[in-house]
Amino acid sequence: MPSFADQPRPADILLQTLTLPDPAICGESDIYLHRDSGVALDLDAGALHFLEGGTAWFDGYMTLFNLGVWTRACHLGGLALRLVGEGRVALQVTRERQIGDIEILVERLVTLDPDGGRIDLTQPLGGTPEHGLPEMDGLLKLRLVAQENAVLTGGAYVATDTAPARDVSLGVAITTFRREAEVAATAARMAAFLDRAGDDLGARVQLHVIDNGGTAVIPDHPRVTRIENPNLGGAGGFARGLALAQDGGFSHCLFMDDDASFQMENLTRTIAFLRLARSDRAAVSGAMVSEACKWRMWENGSVFHQVCRPQFVGTDLRHPHAVAEMELAAARPKPKGFYAGWWFFAFPVAETRAFPFPFFVRGDDISFSLAHEFDTVTLSGVVSFQEDFSAKESPLTLYLDLRNHLHQHLVHPGLEIGAMGTIKVAMRFILRSVVRMHYDSAEAQLEAWEDVMRGPGFFAENADMSVRRPQISALARDEAWREMAPLGPGAPARPGRIRTQLMKFTLNGHLLPFFSRLGGETAVPARERGLIWPVWGRRAARFYDGTGRRGYEVRHDKARFARIMRRALGLAHRWRRAYPALRDAHRAGYAEMASRPFWEARFTPARPPAEATRAAE
């Protein structure tokens, strides 16, 4: 639907639009709205066409309005719903306080107006002109029933009669490494959106494309700048973006991944929230949905408690009940250890106390969030669609995962769990790989444990991972993807309870004699390779991609298992003895490396945009 920034009213601040699907990003219409056969979705025109009696429910993840989040975190003088279109409709706005507790706020016949009619929600919600809207719980949902043939061409929730909003200027940083097509497309879409919105977003926005690969070609635009940077990973790229936000006098910084696709509504909602936020520390964490399954939530924020624990993973965004449960919970205070992923994270520059730590990738976002006391929220519909982490899993990523997990526990006092606690974390990672017969990954994780024991100097010396990365990648022998004979349809069956318990106690047969002859074989799709149950009781497993023609095979190997466990026990002994000194050294090193001077010494001097573009060509 068209942006309401095109026709602002004097005291109105656009909070969120009734967003429709964008086939280039996500075509799952049920995560936006639900409709009967009397409503047609015209994506080209951004409109809904109603036959008489046709009904549309704006109750999806992308279109409901979360009163709990907005009224608790923001100053709202009032709230209204604006609709643009033609034709007469029966309108109903409901408030769902909790699952099953629904009240009707507004119910009336309205004639849609091409100039945008307003339905006031302040008084029905108990707000007053003097005090505005109080803090309250609940989700607002809209239903339209056409009384004649009608068309809806736009809709939005707007803040009315609101005191002057804070000035927001947003320095957006996208870190990219040789994803030329993806980042160029994102930059073009953002530039076009900013041109349409003009000054009506209420914020100054500048996109900095941090090009770690030196190959991106970005069209010239006054609001887009390409910065050539050495390949210092996501940590180094986003450190460069933060430095640019500081130097440019931006009030807020937004980190985004180069492989994330998102609707520009993300910016509309984020900027509105930051303008109206009560707290100077207000920040916005975007959700992530897998490109492979665009109706299933992958992560709506995450909590670091010994390991990473994604919030609301698996929520089916097509079902209003599941979405309501997630959104009602999202309005509550965030748990201890909550952190935001850098596929979409906006935060205040003035409240930044540390720069990213040089993890290269994996763990930099966790560390950054834990080092700050941002008041972070998740906003419904602020989401990125991208390849999920299970698709990216490899010995290298698992090396990086264990390395950062151990480091987080060493440097952040609130995560202190002692020598034995951190040994359990390391053993949990390694045993998960071993029972899945991913011995390459287990060996990479042993390398991670050893590297953390080398002290904080290891991270400084390997900020670009140019030496260590190929060494770890070379460990992937059995787990290297290759062309394989195609597989027929089929999927592993869940094992029974007794078999599951037996496999747990024997580490999937590694403690049973002759298991390599007794266990069965299986084939597992790539989307399930992070799970353990598909390989319980198996002496071999083949993992394959969506085509069924690429994959790899792992086999039970007791000798290799024994070597890995001997080395793990030796490392555990060394870790326990060295732990106090190691913890103190890493904490001192963190203060030095999570700083601007550390990164400035490693940045390539920025070249003018035109010169950088010519160099890329």
Side-chain angles (χ1 to χ4, degrees):
M1 290 187 180
S3 169
F4 271 78
D6 297 337
Q7 297 178 343
R9 292 181 182 251
D12 290 357
I13 294 178
L14 173 64
L15 302 180
Q16 66 178 60
T17 66
L18 299 180
T19 313
L20 293 183
D22 180 346
I25 305 298
C26 177
E28 290 280 354
S29 64
D30 282 350
I31 78 172
Y32 296 80
L33 75 160
H34 296 87
R35 56 200 166 99
D36 63 17
S37 59
V39 180
L41 182 58
D42 184 348
L43 295 178
D44 292 332
L48 288 175
H49 293 271
F50 292 77
L51 297 176
E52 183 178 347
T55 304
W57 295 264
F58 295 89
D59 56 359
Y61 171 64
M62 305 293 282
T63 52
L64 63 76
F65 186 82
N66 195 323
L67 273 173
V69 170
W70 284 94
T71 61
R72 287 178 179 175
C74 294
H75 295 287
L76 296 182
L79 185 67
L81 175 67
R82 290 182 57 205
L83 299 175
V84 177
E86 296 180 359
R88 192 166 177 80
V89 297
L91 172 149
Q92 184 187 79
V93 179
T94 59
R95 174 187 176 192
E96 187 169 2
R97 295 171 182 267
Q98 54 186 341
I99 302 299
D101 180 6
I102 300 172
E103 62 174 329
I104 298 174
L105 294 178
V106 178
E107 193 167 44
R108 68 177 70 159
L109 293 174
V110 299
T111 299
L112 298 177
D113 184 345
D115 294 325
R118 179 195 291 192
I119 295 91
D120 178 67
L121 301 175
T122 307
Q123 186 174 358
L125 287 169
T128 64
E130 298 80 16
H131 301 101
L133 284 178
E135 295 183 26
M136 61 184 72
D137 294 318
L139 310 174
L140 295 187
K141 299 179 179 181
L142 167 68
R143 187 187 73 174
L144 297 178
V145 183
Q147 305 303 293
E148 59 187 14
N149 290 353
V151 59
L152 181 74
T153 56
Y157 289 96
V158 296
T160 62
D161 303 317
T162 298
R166 72 175 73 229
D167 290 331
V168 167
S169 52
L170 192 62
V172 182
I174 294 180
T175 297
T176 186
F177 181 76
R178 295 181 183 172
R179 291 181 184 264
E180 297 87 352
E182 292 88 341
V183 76
T186 297
R189 291 180 66 249
M190 184 173 290
F193 170 76
L194 294 175
D195 286 343
R196 290 195 306 272
D199 296 329
D200 296 324
L201 270 178
R204 174 170 64 98
V205 180
Q206 184 72 28
L207 170 60
H208 300 116
V209 177
I210 314 301
D211 185 8
N212 282 357
T215 57
V217 179
I218 306 298
D220 288 338
H221 191 277
R223 297 213 196 185
V224 180
T225 305
R226 173 182 171 272
I227 306 294
E228 192 167 325
N229 207 46
N231 187 20
L232 296 166
F238 288 123
R240 188 68 175 267
L242 177 54
L244 289 167
Q246 289 179 338
D247 294 343
F250 291 92
S251 65
H252 292 79
C253 188
L254 170 61
F255 289 165
M256 298 192 306
D257 277 350
D258 62 349
D259 64 342
S261 57
F262 59 92
Q263 291 183 260
M264 291 299 144
E265 179 71 7
N266 278 12
L267 292 179
T268 298
R269 299 184 188 192
T270 297
I271 290 172
F273 179 86
L274 296 175
R275 292 182 68 197
L276 298 171
R278 301 176 190 271
S279 170
D280 292 337
R281 300 193 305 272
V284 176
S285 169
M288 189 180 98
V289 169
S290 171
E291 280 278 3
C293 194
K294 293 185 177 181
W295 51 263
R296 178 183 290 141
M297 178 63 69
W298 179 265
E299 177 177 317
N300 195 19
S302 192
V303 172
F304 189 88
H305 178 65
Q306 298 193 13
V307 295
C308 301
R309 303 176 189 274
Q311 302 294 283
F312 308 107
V313 61
T315 298
D316 191 334
L317 300 177
R318 298 170 300 183
H319 297 315
H321 182 90
V323 171
E325 285 187 332
M326 179 180 72
E327 284 301 310
L328 288 169
R332 301 177 194 129
K334 294 293 183 277
K336 180 181 178 182
F338 182 88
Y339 69 90
W342 280 359
W343 45 83
F344 192 96
F345 180 48
F347 58 92
V349 173
E351 298 297 324
T352 303
R353 302 288 178 259
F355 265 60
F357 186 80
F359 284 118
F360 191 74
V361 294
R362 296 290 178 113
D364 39 13
D365 48 4
I366 302 171
S367 181
F368 190 77
S369 288
L370 295 176
H372 294 90
E373 295 182 354
F374 297 134
D375 294 327
T376 306
V377 303
T378 57
L379 297 176
S380 62
V382 176
V383 58
S384 294
F385 299 87
Q386 64 189 84
E387 190 177 38
D388 64 55
F389 295 139
S390 66
K392 301 176 182 178
E393 185 175 293
S394 69
L396 176 61
T397 63
L398 291 172
Y399 160 89
L400 295 166
D401 276 343
L402 178 55
R403 196 182 66 165
N404 93 72
H405 273 71
L406 292 174
H407 184 267
Q408 314 290 4
H409 286 101
L410 287 171
V411 302
H412 297 292
L415 300 180
E416 173 70 51
I417 55 176
M420 292 307 298
T422 44
I423 286 171
K424 289 178 182 177
V425 170
M427 286 295 191
R428 177 177 178 176
F429 271 76
I430 293 165
L431 287 173
R432 176 180 173 274
S433 293
V434 164
V435 299
R436 294 166 54 241
M437 297 171 285
H438 281 60
Y439 307 113
D440 294 349
S441 293
E443 289 170 354
Q445 289 164 329
L446 292 170
E447 292 292 318
W449 201 352
E450 285 212 70
D451 285 348
V452 174
M453 293 181 69
R454 299 180 198 279
F458 168 83
F459 290 93
E461 295 163 7
N462 291 274
D464 64 0
M465 286 289 287
S466 59
V467 174
R468 203 69 178 112
R469 189 169 70 251
Q471 292 172 344
I472 301 301
S473 295
L475 295 174
R477 300 181 298 274
D478 295 338
E479 298 170 39
W481 289 82
R482 57 182 64 90
E483 296 293 328
M484 305 185 81
L487 284 170
R494 279 190 176 272
R497 185 185 221 173
I498 295 176
R499 183 179 183 181
T500 296
Q501 292 301 318
L502 176 63
M503 291 300 102
K504 283 183 179 180
F505 286 124
T506 63
L507 299 181
N508 200 26
H510 284 91
L511 303 181
L512 286 176
F514 309 112
F515 184 77
S516 59
R517 300 178 187 175
L518 301 174
E521 299 187 3
T522 190
V524 183
R527 66 179 180 273
E528 294 181 354
R529 66 185 175 132
L531 304 176
I532 296 178
W533 68 260
V535 298
W536 281 142
R538 309 296 183 176
R539 67 171 182 268
R542 175 176 170 180
F543 296 86
Y544 59 94
D545 68 4
T547 68
R549 296 177 179 276
R550 284 182 55 80
Y552 64 88
E553 186 173 276
V554 294
R555 289 190 166 272
H556 190 89
D557 189 334
K558 275 190 172 55
R560 201 169 174 190
F561 162 76
R563 290 195 298 271
I564 289 169
M565 295 314 299
R566 278 197 300 268
R567 186 177 170 191
L569 291 173
L571 284 172
H573 179 66
R574 286 172 50 199
W575 178 272
R576 187 168 180 273
R577 293 175 57 190
Y579 182 82
L582 200 59
R583 177 196 58 207
D584 294 344
H586 275 279
R587 288 185 183 178
Y590 183 87
E592 177 185 344
M593 285 181 270
S595 68
R596 179 164 178 158
F598 173 87
W599 287 110
E600 283 185 326
R602 290 159 173 80
F603 292 153
T604 300
R607 288 188 275 175
E611 181 184 335
T613 302
R614 286 196 300 272
E617 292 172 349

